[in-house]
Amino acid sequence: MDLEKREISAETITPLFEVAFGHRPAVVAAAPGRVNLIGEHTDYNEGFVLPMALNNINVVAAAPSPTGKHRWIGGPGEEMIELETAETAQPGEPFWSNYVRGVITMLERRGIKVPAVDLFIDSNVPRGGGLSSSAAFEVSVCTALAALCGADVSPTDRALIGQATEHEFVNVPCGIMDQFISANGRRDHALMLDCRDLSYKLIPMSDPAVSVLVIDSAVKHSLADGGYAARRKNCEDACAILGVHSLREASLEQLEAKKVELGDLCYRRARHVIGENLRVAAFAEAVQKGDWNAAGVAMRGSHASLRDDFEVSCAEVDTLVSLADTIPAAASVYGARMTGGGFGGCIVALVKSADVQTVAEQMIEGYRNALGIETDYLITRPGEGARVLYQA
Ligand code: GLA
């Protein structure tokens, strides 16, 4: 994965659209990738998550197609694909077209008729690194198409459309976190989401003294590989034994009382989820007080639990997280943890801004020395959620 720093905007995509299709876009929309600060594998358990939007975005330029057929281009230099309007009702080739087919289908299920469209897509959200490039894709396409159709689709509805696209067109049984933050993120705020009822609270994170550092493990991450679905199943099994509708309803006391019936695996999976919900609350409170050390404690606890109880980390990611404690500049790191679905992907750390560049460089060097892997990082702050950048 290349943690891309290329700037993209309405200004960069418009000429690409014009050259490809011979007319101007009617709408340009954007939606960001995300990094989850804490609350991992809790969303599909009706729990709490606390992600923030990145400044890396997926941008979509769109206009009605004069040919009566859909014409879509998945990125600069890529070939145009053509589809009849009836073809978007089911998944098909190429694979990436499913994100667009799904969004069109979900809009139509809501009674919004989408005409044949010309679409040009560009993105600087790193792919396959657990930074939700697909959520950014779905939510930006949905934002563009809703604007094009003059339809009022709320940010939360756009998130649900993105999630339904994953479930039905991409075959990824994801929760709602990624699409939700992509649709609802705010600059300089993290977002604490209650996945039970989708109510949320924006948490200011504008302290210039603290930076968010994202480092890629360079280990490929794919949610379609089965580990994710297997964890969901473990959680459902634990619910059945605990006699609850979701792990959100279970307490640590209930868990201990059923320890034997649960068996080691389900016990540990459930312990992660129940404990993680408590850590999200502790983290949110710490950030609101500006107590970055306490926020770091919650992050460290989250990583240990994901590694040992939920078993979704991997050796490379664990190496990166432990480097945050052992590099010479370790005192400038408040906390670090894996972020996203796991099995590779990125880590996220909260770091003193004055030293963040040094920390990043020492981490990269330490990782190279430990595992011989060359990788990259992003230093960032919470970015803005989905928006229309231009409308004719
Ligand atoms: C992926 C999924 C999310 C969430 C995380 C784990 O990013 O898309 O819904 O389950 O994994 O927290």
Side-chain angles (χ1 to χ4, degrees), residues 34 36 39-44 49 130 132 163 166 172-179 221 223 228 232 306 337-342:
R34 65 98 186 92
N36 188 19
E40 218 68 82
H41 289 273
T42 44
D43 61 353
Y44 54 84
V49 293
S132 296
Q163 186 194 27
E166 292 279 352
V172 168
C174 64
I176 190 67
M177 166 169 70
D178 308 344
Q179 292 78 12
H221 137 113
L223 291 188
Y228 186 89
R232 286 195 75 141
L306 288 157
R337 57 180 289 278
M338 59 157 271
T339 183

Side-chain angles (χ1 to χ4, degrees), residues 138-188:
E138 294 141 16
V139 174
S140 60
V141 168
C142 191
T143 304
L145 293 181
L148 194 68
C149 298
D152 187 15
V153 182
S154 73
T156 296
D157 234 24
R158 280 180 263 151
L160 289 165
I161 286 173
Q163 186 194 27
T165 296
E166 292 279 352
H167 290 183
E168 295 182 40
F169 281 72
V170 190
N171 215 9
V172 168
C174 64
I176 190 67
M177 166 169 70
D178 308 344
Q179 292 78 12
F180 197 94
I181 183 66
S182 184
N184 286 293
R186 279 288 164 281
R187 181 170 305 287
D188 287 332

Side-chain angles (χ1 to χ4, degrees), residues 24-308:
R24 282 185 66 78
V27 173
V28 180
R34 65 98 186 92
V35 62
N36 188 19
L37 295 169
I38 196 160
E40 218 68 82
H41 289 273
T42 44
D43 61 353
Y44 54 84
N45 288 299
E46 299 194 350
F48 293 97
V49 293
L50 209 153
M52 58 173 244
L54 293 173
N55 290 301
N56 298 61
I57 50 178
N58 196 106
V59 178
V60 182
S65 165
T67 68
K69 279 188 178 183
H70 288 290
R71 299 188 295 179
W72 303 342
I73 298 177
E78 288 186 24
E79 248 172 59
M80 179 193 294
I81 63 162
E82 279 189 88
L83 265 75
E84 300 290 344
T85 48
E87 281 179 82
T88 58
Q90 56 279 315
E93 295 293 329
F95 183 74
W96 67 263
S97 73
N98 291 321
Y99 294 101
V100 187
R101 292 170 192 244
V103 168
I104 292 176
T105 301
M106 303 310 155
L107 284 169
E108 295 197 333
R109 277 191 203 162
R110 283 166 169 78
I112 300 159
K113 178 86 195 84
V114 180
V117 284
D118 288 343
L119 288 184
F120 199 105
I121 296 136
D122 196 3
S123 173
N124 62 10
V125 184
R127 290 190 196 169
L131 299 179
S132 296
S133 54
S134 18
F137 188 5
E138 294 141 16
V139 174
S140 60
V141 168
C142 191
T143 304
L145 293 181
L148 194 68
C149 298
D152 187 15
V153 182
S154 73
T156 296
D157 234 24
R158 280 180 263 151
L160 289 165
I161 286 173
Q163 186 194 27
T165 296
E166 292 279 352
H167 290 183
E168 295 182 40
F169 281 72
V170 190
N171 215 9
V172 168
C174 64
I176 190 67
M177 166 169 70
D178 308 344
Q179 292 78 12
F180 197 94
I181 183 66
S182 184
N184 286 293
R186 279 288 164 281
R187 181 170 305 287
D188 287 332
H189 291 78
L191 184 155
M192 181 173 170
L193 170 66
D194 181 343
C195 300
R196 179 151 69 184
D197 60 9
L198 301 187
S199 59
Y200 68 94
K201 182 171 171 187
L202 290 167
I203 299 184
M205 256 192 63
S206 51
D207 183 346
V210 180
S211 294
V212 177
L213 171 63
V214 178
I215 306 179
D216 180 18
S217 69
V219 176
K220 210 182 144 15
H221 137 113
S222 164
L223 291 188
D225 281 351
Y228 186 89
R231 296 306 180 285
R232 286 195 75 141
K233 176 77 171 58
N234 297 154
C235 293
E236 283 164 21
D237 292 347
C239 284
I241 297 165
L242 290 166
V244 291
H245 162 73
S246 75
L247 288 177
R248 164 67 174 279
E249 291 159 25
S251 64
L252 287 172
E253 292 70 36
Q254 275 170 289
L255 181 77
E256 290 307 320
K258 291 269 170 87
K259 188 169 179 178
V260 177
E261 290 100 304
L262 282 162
D264 179 57
L265 188 78
C266 283
Y267 170 76
R268 285 186 294 118
R269 300 294 192 252
R271 182 167 65 180
H272 164 71
V273 175
I274 299 169
E276 188 77 351
N277 282 328
L278 299 171
R279 285 184 288 271
V280 174
F283 182 93
E285 200 187 319
V287 172
Q288 288 170 102
K289 285 189 191 146
D291 185 348
W292 300 104
N293 287 315
V297 169
M299 290 175 84
R300 286 161 202 268
S302 170
H303 186 76
S305 174
L306 288 157
R307 180 191 61 211
D308 302 333

